Amino acid sequence: MRARMSMNALRRSRTEWGPRLTPSHLRSPSSPQINRIPTQHPKLNILLVFASPKGTPALRLQKEKKLIQMNFLGDRKPMFDIDPLEAATVNTFQDKIFKRHYDLIHFSCHGVKGKPVLENALGQRVDVPIAPFAEELVVHKPQCLFLNWPESIILAKLCQPHIPYIVCIQEALTRVKAIRAFESGFYEAIAAGKPFEDAYEEGSRNVTIINAQCPFRLLTPQPVAPARPPPRTHGVLGVTAGNEEDIGGWTSSNTAGDEGEQGVDTSTLIAERPRTIAVTGTLNAGDDRRLRRCVEDSLEPLLGRDTHWLVGSWGQVDEAVADYLAQNGEAVTIVGYTAQDLSPSMFQLAEACRLPFLNAGAVRLPPLAQQASNPREALFLTRADLVVFFWANQSQGVKSLIDWYISNDKDVLVCTI
């Protein structure tokens, strides 16, 4: 099956794209005013898992559940789906995650040497083994885990390379008052639409107000972009911490090592090549085989032309495109909004294919880019000669973004999935 590709107009002022990309392939979707591209699903699905088996100290879980749920009342309610699971057993938890995907999974239970304590069918305690339980969580791929039991950091570190945000407890003993203060601030921020890292900061501030030490830590993946000897050198340039260097009209500053920026070399920039193409698209594109065929048909004419590819870091389209280009020996750099903006699947691909990662938020861009909704779109606007979108003809965010690039005189190729 051939992909249907569309575009407003092909402006060849910068680069000749080759004989197969003719104006007959191209059109532009009409679109309303540009708004921010959505970075999350329209509704955030939250699973609250509670367990307090017989013979263990009472945890006052009903109070905790109400404290969390009260943040999502009123006008905020349609944007969130809160699903409580009380007296949780391993089986009832598996039942939940097999039937539905959750963006945030919250656990509140006892813990023994880092193991969560759930229940069996009779309400008796079950100390859940850490390794298989961590594997279960990784397979489900939530955006965020909230692990409220003592020493939950042991399990969290097993999940850390694969799950974007994990809130966990390091100590064996914690103050209930501090936990409740953190949860209140954290979920109030989530209900207000703030990102997970901002919600963590809000929860920490709440604990400070009551003169207590925050019991929670935030873990994020730590992908390190190794040096890659590609079939054709694409010249990844690094800038050491604290230094700045002007490259191709940009100034790069390494912020790796600053508080809140963990493990990603944010100073990575791409050296000049004859042509740079940026690719991104719909987060959820549907059928994988159909998407794969669309990617192959659309990008095959552009392969092998000494091109550097900038590919988004999250979602079905970005992952399919990066995989296809890497398999064909193309020079690819994965580009995220922030140092932590990398999906688990993309992280595994980057490790396997030795693809470099670029934190767009660490790059200082010209004034033209200040109007962009986020650093990555600004980088694509100022750096790429062509921006390619794979669009399922549904996402209004992608549609608006396409119009924004066109209004800024950027060559855009829209491939309809």
Side-chain angles (χ1 to χ4, degrees):
M1 185 186 79
R2 303 294 297 178
R4 293 187 294 117
M5 297 185 289
S6 55
M7 182 179 174
N8 181 294
L10 181 63
R11 298 179 293 281
R12 298 176 179 267
S13 57
R14 298 180 182 84
T15 310
E16 181 66 34
W17 299 106
R20 291 184 62 180
L21 290 179
T22 61
S24 62
H25 291 89
L26 311 169
R27 64 176 176 82
S28 168
S30 58
S31 173
Q33 180 182 359
I34 173 73
N35 289 313
R36 286 197 59 177
I37 181 170
T39 56
Q40 297 184 356
H41 300 295
K43 178 176 284 192
L44 196 74
N45 296 321
I46 301 174
L47 176 63
L48 305 178
V49 182
F50 301 112
S52 185
K54 296 175 183 177
T56 61
L59 292 177
R60 303 184 69 183
L61 297 178
Q62 287 297 324
K63 183 175 182 179
E64 182 177 0
K65 183 180 74 169
K66 289 178 181 178
L67 183 146
I68 294 172
Q69 289 180 321
M70 67 184 295
N71 291 290
F72 301 97
L73 301 176
D75 294 340
R76 297 171 175 178
K77 190 173 181 179
M79 300 302 296
F80 301 90
D81 195 340
I82 313 300
D83 190 1
L85 174 61
E86 301 180 63
T89 69
V90 173
N91 288 339
T92 56
F93 172 70
Q94 288 176 326
D95 236 15
K96 285 284 187 182
I97 63 173
F98 288 163
K99 292 178 180 177
R100 183 179 183 186
H101 180 267
Y102 293 94
D103 303 289
L104 192 162
I105 302 178
H106 173 109
F107 288 91
S108 190
C109 59
H110 290 287
V112 177
K113 296 182 179 179
K115 300 176 184 178
V117 177
L118 300 184
E119 304 182 18
N120 62 18
L122 300 176
Q124 300 164 334
R125 64 178 288 169
V126 175
D127 298 354
V128 183
I130 291 177
F133 194 58
E135 185 177 349
E136 192 85 60
L137 294 171
V138 167
V139 168
H140 185 68
K141 296 183 180 179
Q143 289 273 1
C144 181
L145 286 176
F146 193 113
L147 308 180
N148 180 14
W149 72 78
E151 299 179 293
S152 58
I153 192 170
I154 298 173
L155 184 143
K157 285 188 174 180
L158 293 179
C159 301
Q160 183 178 6
H162 311 287
I163 294 177
Y165 302 97
I166 307 175
V167 179
C168 58
I169 295 177
Q170 182 170 357
E171 305 298 329
L173 296 174
T174 55
R175 291 178 58 188
V176 174
K177 188 176 180 181
I179 290 174
R180 295 292 180 262
F182 181 90
E183 288 178 337
S184 178
F186 180 87
Y187 282 105
E188 184 177 3
I190 293 294
K194 293 185 179 180
F196 293 117
E197 60 267 36
D198 290 355
Y200 175 81
E201 294 299 328
E202 191 64 38
S204 299
R205 278 192 289 270
N206 253 24
V207 178
T208 305
I209 291 173
I210 63 170
N211 294 319
Q213 184 176 357
C214 182
F216 291 98
R217 286 186 57 188
L218 177 66
L219 300 187
T220 58
Q222 299 183 0
V224 177
R228 175 193 176 211
R232 295 187 304 279
T233 305
H234 61 275
V236 175
L237 301 180
V239 182
T240 58
N243 294 334
E244 293 188 353
E245 182 174 342
D246 187 64
I247 302 175
W250 294 2
T251 301
S252 165
S253 174
N254 184 359
T255 60
D258 291 347
E259 188 173 357
E261 298 284 332
Q262 300 185 22
V264 180
D265 181 5
T266 57
S267 65
T268 308
L269 285 179
I270 304 101
E272 292 294 335
R273 274 191 155 235
R275 180 175 62 181
T276 299
I277 301 177
V279 189
T280 189
T282 305
L283 280 173
N284 299 303
D287 185 81
D288 282 326
R289 287 179 297 179
R290 181 177 180 180
L291 173 61
R292 182 77 185 189
R293 287 195 297 269
C294 181
V295 168
E296 291 173 357
D297 289 343
S298 305
L299 299 185
E300 188 272 334
L302 303 174
L303 299 181
R305 297 169 180 263
D306 204 27
T307 298
H308 192 117
W309 299 85
L310 304 178
V311 181
S313 60
W314 201 287
Q316 196 176 354
V317 166
D318 292 349
E319 291 161 6
V321 169
D323 182 58
Y324 172 72
L325 294 174
Q327 287 187 18
N328 282 274
E330 296 290 297
V332 181
T333 294
I334 300 169
V335 184
Y337 300 136
T338 66
Q340 289 83 31
D341 182 37
L342 192 66
S343 74
S345 298
M346 191 68 89
F347 173 64
Q348 293 173 356
L349 177 65
E351 279 196 324
C353 299
R354 300 178 65 83
L355 303 179
F357 176 87
L358 173 61
N359 170 15
V363 180
R364 295 183 184 177
L365 297 169
L368 168 68
Q370 300 305 314
Q371 58 182 302
S373 60
N374 61 65
R376 189 178 73 189
E377 312 316 338
L379 188 145
F380 284 1
L381 175 68
T382 56
R383 187 60 170 174
D385 300 297
L386 174 71
V387 181
V388 180
F389 286 94
F390 287 89
W391 186 40
N393 219 12
Q394 294 176 340
S395 170
Q396 291 301 311
V398 174
K399 186 178 181 183
S400 299
L401 193 58
I402 292 167
D403 279 350
W404 179 75
Y405 277 114
I406 292 173
S407 70
N408 281 281
D409 200 34
K410 175 60 60 179
D411 287 337
V412 173
L413 177 65
V414 180
C415 308
T416 306
I417 302 168

